Structures are given as C-alpha cells and as structure tokens.
Amino acid sequence: MQMFIGGEWVDAADGQTMESIDPATREPLTVVPSAGADDVDRAVNAARAAYESEQWQDMLPSQRGRLLNRLAADIRANADELARWETLDAGKPLAQSRADVEVAARYCEYYAGVADKLLGETIPVRPDLLDYTLREPLGVTAHIVPWNYPLQIAVRGLAPALAAGNAVVLKPADETPVTALKIAELIERSEWPSGLVNIVTGTGPRVGASLAAHPGINHVTFTGSVPTGIAVMRAAAGNVTPVTLELGGKSPNIVFADADLDEAADWVVKSIIQNAGQTCSAGSRLIVERAIHETFVERVVERMKALTLGAGIDEPDIGPIISQKQLNTIESYMELACGEGVTIRTGGRRATSPPLDRGFFFEPTVIDGLSADHRLAREEIFGPVLSVIEFDDARQAIEIANDTDYGLITGVWTTNVHKALWLAGQIRCGQVYVNNYGAGGGVELPFGGYGKSGFGREKGLEALRGYTQLKNVAVRIKPNAR
Ligand code: NAD
C-alpha cells in the first residue's frame, strides 16, 4: 500500500517501507511506506495549501457537513471491507471491528450536523459597543493515532477537525496503518480539496516526532502512552502548539452490595475483555464491597473462564494482543502478582494451545486480594487483566478509586441513587457511568481525562470547540451617526 499525501498515493521519499502483521498468526498482512521528516514536511505543506485554497476557504459550512455525511455513507457502504481489515490488522473480534466502523460513520454524521452550528456569542458591554465572538479553525491539525482503535480514533479526530474547517495530517500507529489508508480512499472519491487530508505512515520516532515538532502544525491530538504523550507535548511546546492528550487510565468499576450483581458482573467482564483489554477506558480495576467480595468475584471468574480466544476473524470473545512487545509487557506484570493475600484467580499466562501459539494470545485474568498501592492496582497493563481490591464503605471506595495517577472513567454499580450521585461528584475522572459502562460508543459524550489520563476533550460538542480558536471582535457604534 502507499500513503496519501497532497491528494496522491506515494512512497516514502527515501523508499523505506515497513511491514504490518496479523497479530493472530504473525503472518505479514501488508507493507506500507515508512515515512521520514521530508514526507511529513510535504504533507504539512500540502495541508497548508489546501487549507488556504479558495475551494476550502469559500466552502460553506453546510457543504463541509454534506461532505462528512457522504463520508459516513461511504464508510457504511464499505463496512464489511473496513471491519475485515481492522480485524486482520489490529486483531480484534470482527463484531468489535464492525461496531468500530459504525462508530466511525456516526462521528462523521454527528459532526456533519454541527458544521454549520459553530455559533459565536454577543457580549453585552455598553450600548455603544457591539462585541461578538467568532469560532475560527486552527489551520492544520496533526493526529497521532494508537493501535488499539485505529479506525475509530482516526475518525474521532478527523471528523470534528474537518467540520470546524481545518486541514489534517494523520499518522496511524506503526502496527495498524491499514484502515486510515482505506479512509483516504473514500475521501479521494468526493469533493474534498486535494491535500486537505493526508495520511503519513511510519514509526513514532520518525513520523510522530517530526509531526509534533513541525512549526506548520497548529494543533496536535495524541492518543497513546503517558511517556510518548509527554514527548509530544514537549515537542509541540517548542512552537507553542496546543495539544490534546488522551493517555489511558486505570479505570475502576465500583460494585456495591446492593447492585444488580449479575448485570454488574456481565459489564465488569465486558469492560476488561473488550479488545483484549487494550482499551484506554478498560475497566481494569474492580473495587468491590467486602460483604459481596467472594460471591461477586466468583461470578466474574466463572464468566472469564467461559470466554473463547481466537483469531478475530473467527469471532471469538477475545482476540490476540497487538504485538510481541505488548504480550511481553503483560506477562512481565504477572511476576508482580505476589504479596499478602494476592492470588491469580484465573488466567495469568499466555495462551499457547494450537492454533493460539501462532499469535500473541493472553488468557483472561483476574488478580484478587490487591491493596490500592500495589503496582497491579495502579499501572496500566493494557491486557485482559482485572485487578480486584475490596472496600468497606463508600468513603473508602472513593479513596481507592481516586488513589491513582489516572482519571479517565469510572463505573458505579448500586441501586441507591443518593450513593450513586454522591460518588459521581467525589470521583476524580473525566466520565462517570452509573449502572452501565462506556455505553453506546459515546460519540455524543465529551470524553477525556483528569491527571495523567491527559487533557482536552474528544467526542461531543466539546471536541468540536477544541478544533477552533476564539476571536473576539469589539465594534464601537457612534451614536447619532449620519
Ligand atoms: P505509544 O504512545 O508509543 O504510541 C502511540 C502513537 O504515538 C503511535 O502512533 C506511535 O507511533 C506514536 N509515537 C511513538 N513515539 C512517538 C514520538 N516520540 N513522538 C510522536 N509520536 C510517537 O504507545 P505504544 O508504545 O504503542 O503502547 C505502549 C503503551 O501505551 C500501552 O501499553 C498502553 O499503556 C498505552 N496506550 C494507550 C492507548 C490509549 O488509548 N490511551 C493506546 C495505545 C497505547
């Protein structure tokens, strides 16, 4: 495959390439350009030229909306192909890839609908002053995308950025370049200005670092790990370029004794096994009331034991881990599963029975008896590994939930509305779910972190505002002018 720069399909300037593999089999899937700084430069220049073109500057907001609606329709029309590629490239079960494709279409539709509703305000100052605000695009926005939701996260940034009138340079993750390139094929089919959307494939240190440091970039949206997010922020600071960082979490499900325990157990499992636990908002901590600890954990363990593992294309419950590197990281965490009362209730190792030995599979795992300060209860493992901690009362549950560097999302499970609302107010994180978790794809819901989970918001109208800058205009009105 080639990458998409300035409306053309091109190789890297220096001809370098890199391979993407199917993590279920380790078989090569495709070869893409491994771009360098020169290619990034070319893409940023192409985006700038498209941004400044009359075609884009004169395009009505409603027309931008129509183009996004067309993209949504094209994504849906190609859903089978996109989902299949996503599954082969990222490993996730086909049903999850299909859901991601639908969410990508929904992002386009949602932001299409608001492209012509980017309203300003009038500010009452004095009778002789008309003061108003305008929401203007930023210019060229860069999007550095991780491997866990390659299509969904690419479109999550691209759609609001375009709706707000920006031009885009997007770098897919090294491991999962395919579906972003497929989106470029769809964009090429309709009347977007040539060069408005550029997809540059390559490694983080080459393409990602050049993009973040490029003086022609007006905003960087980064999703990935904390150390890389810090590097991106540092690089962008050199040009005073604003960044949105979405850096993952150690999100808890807090389960009280009065909850519907079967329902809660279903969701606790779903929230940690989705995409094999490689989800920034995975419910990776279970904070459970001591009175129901044993019965509830047993329900979770039973469900985890019943899950099937396999290549995503065969529709298992859990697909492979993305790479050998990530599998090694998960495995290394298992060595920490020791200490007073700590037990691995199920899983805890690679899954190696044929044909799983061909790929990177890890058994769904429950680690019980952890204290809040244990590394397994604090660090993002990014695999199907659930860390269990007990609490005695609501106040302690809040303390445990907040005792982390992260703050992305929290699930609260109780039938007591007072308790639920009190917790929702006390918990330090960007999103709280009561008696559900990460429901419905959440296209409309502002999403982002507190603490080391990052800052800035994606999804919803908040994200759209994040791709604009605010201008204030003050006009003096001369009384009795003739
Ligand atoms: P990463 O943060 O290194 O990679 C994310 C993206 O950043 C990729 O596109 C990568 O190519 C790019 N990148 C890498 N180095 C860069 C640099 N110096 N400058 C700019 N861009 C750069 O993540 P990873 O190494 O693939 O995964 C490691 C850990 O990151 C995981 O274990 C997990 O904890 C976390 N992670 C979080 C999310 C999330 O959704 N928040 C997604 C993926 C990974």
Side-chain angles (χ1 to χ4, degrees), residues 148-445:
N148 54 347
Y149 289 81
L151 174 68
Q152 217 205 95
I153 293 180
V155 180
R156 175 173 93 184
L158 192 138
L162 294 174
N166 299 284
V168 162
V169 181
L170 186 143
K171 180 203 133 21
D174 320 20
E175 297 83 352
T176 53
V178 177
T179 45
L181 294 170
K182 292 281 159 196
I183 290 294
E185 286 177 10
L186 302 181
I187 282 177
E188 195 186 16
R189 287 186 200 168
S190 48
E191 293 84 46
W192 298 96
S194 176
L196 194 78
V197 175
N198 303 271
I199 312 291
V200 185
T201 53
T203 66
R206 267 163 49 100
V207 176
S210 310
L211 252 186
H214 200 291
I217 292 294
N218 302 112
H219 183 273
V220 183
T221 297
F222 170 82
T223 308
S225 63
V226 173
T228 310
I230 292 170
V232 164
M233 196 170 162
R234 280 214 175 94
N239 300 308
V240 198
T241 303
V243 293
T244 295
L245 299 181
E246 204 264 272
L247 306 179
K250 191 75 179 173
S251 297
N253 271 300
I254 304 173
V255 181
F256 286 90
D258 64 5
D260 178 332
L261 297 187
D262 272 324
E263 195 179 52
D266 287 344
W267 281 84
V268 164
V269 170
K270 184 170 179 276
S271 74
I272 186 60
I273 61 136
Q274 181 171 320
N275 199 23
Q278 304 166 111
T279 301
C280 48
S281 52
S284 52
R285 284 188 294 165
L286 166 61
I287 305 178
V288 60
E289 190 162 357
R290 194 178 303 277
I292 52 155
H293 165 257
E294 189 45 40
T295 53
F296 189 75
V297 173
E298 199 41 46
R299 281 178 214 218
V300 169
V301 168
E302 264 170 33
R303 286 163 170 76
M304 294 284 257
K305 282 184 172 161
L307 298 168
T308 56
L309 273 78
I313 213 78
D314 298 330
E315 278 301 16
D317 296 312
I318 306 185
I321 302 303
I322 189 71
S323 62
Q324 185 69 55
K325 180 177 147 216
Q326 190 61 26
L327 187 64
N328 292 346
T329 302
I330 300 168
E331 198 171 46
S332 70
Y333 271 106
M334 294 307 111
E335 288 159 22
L336 303 176
C338 52
E340 175 88 29
V342 176
T343 50
I344 297 181
R345 297 280 297 254
T346 186
R349 50 177 189 257
R350 293 172 187 221
T352 51
S353 57
L356 302 181
D357 55 339
R358 296 175 63 206
F360 311 121
F361 290 90
F362 201 83
E363 292 184 357
T365 299
V366 178
I367 304 179
D368 196 6
L370 293 166
S371 56
D373 60 356
H374 198 290
R375 280 184 62 196
L376 290 169
R378 305 184 71 81
E379 295 179 18
E380 189 178 45
I381 301 171
F382 235 57
V385 180
L386 181 67
S387 302
V388 183
I389 312 152
E390 282 181 328
F391 70 88
D392 286 307
D393 58 34
R395 204 169 285 279
Q396 195 192 8
I398 292 164
E399 265 170 36
I400 296 169
N402 286 341
D403 189 10
T404 157
D405 291 339
Y406 293 108
L408 196 54
I409 84 173
T410 301
V412 179
W413 298 87
T414 174
T415 47
N416 180 331
V417 69
H418 302 287
K419 205 153 55 180
L421 294 178
W422 183 58
L423 258 81
Q426 296 297 310
I427 283 165
R428 281 197 301 273
C429 71
Q431 201 168 51
V432 178
Y433 287 95
V434 177
N435 294 327
N436 71 116
Y437 193 94
V443 167
E444 307 84 354
L445 315 180

Side-chain angles (χ1 to χ4, degrees), residues 28-115:
L29 185 64
T30 187
V31 173
V32 297
S34 177
D38 287 350
D39 302 295
V40 169
D41 209 37
R42 201 165 139 210
V44 175
N45 290 338
R48 175 68 52 195
Y51 174 72
E52 288 175 356
S53 68
E54 270 180 31
Q55 188 191 352
W56 190 236
Q57 291 299 325
D58 292 349
M59 191 180 284
L60 298 178
S62 57
Q63 176 63 5
R64 298 202 297 264
R66 269 199 287 278
L67 286 175
L68 279 167
N69 269 327
R70 160 89 195 262
L71 184 55
D74 285 345
I75 289 173
R76 287 209 178 91
N78 291 276
D80 286 346
E81 189 201 346
L82 285 167
R84 198 180 152 76
W85 275 114
E86 192 76 329
T87 281
L88 293 174
D89 208 16
K92 58 182 70 183
L94 205 49
Q96 291 179 28
S97 293
R98 286 213 177 90
D100 286 359
V101 171
E102 174 54 25
V103 171
R106 279 285 301 131
Y107 279 124
C108 293
E109 241 166 33
Y110 179 83
Y111 291 109
V114 287

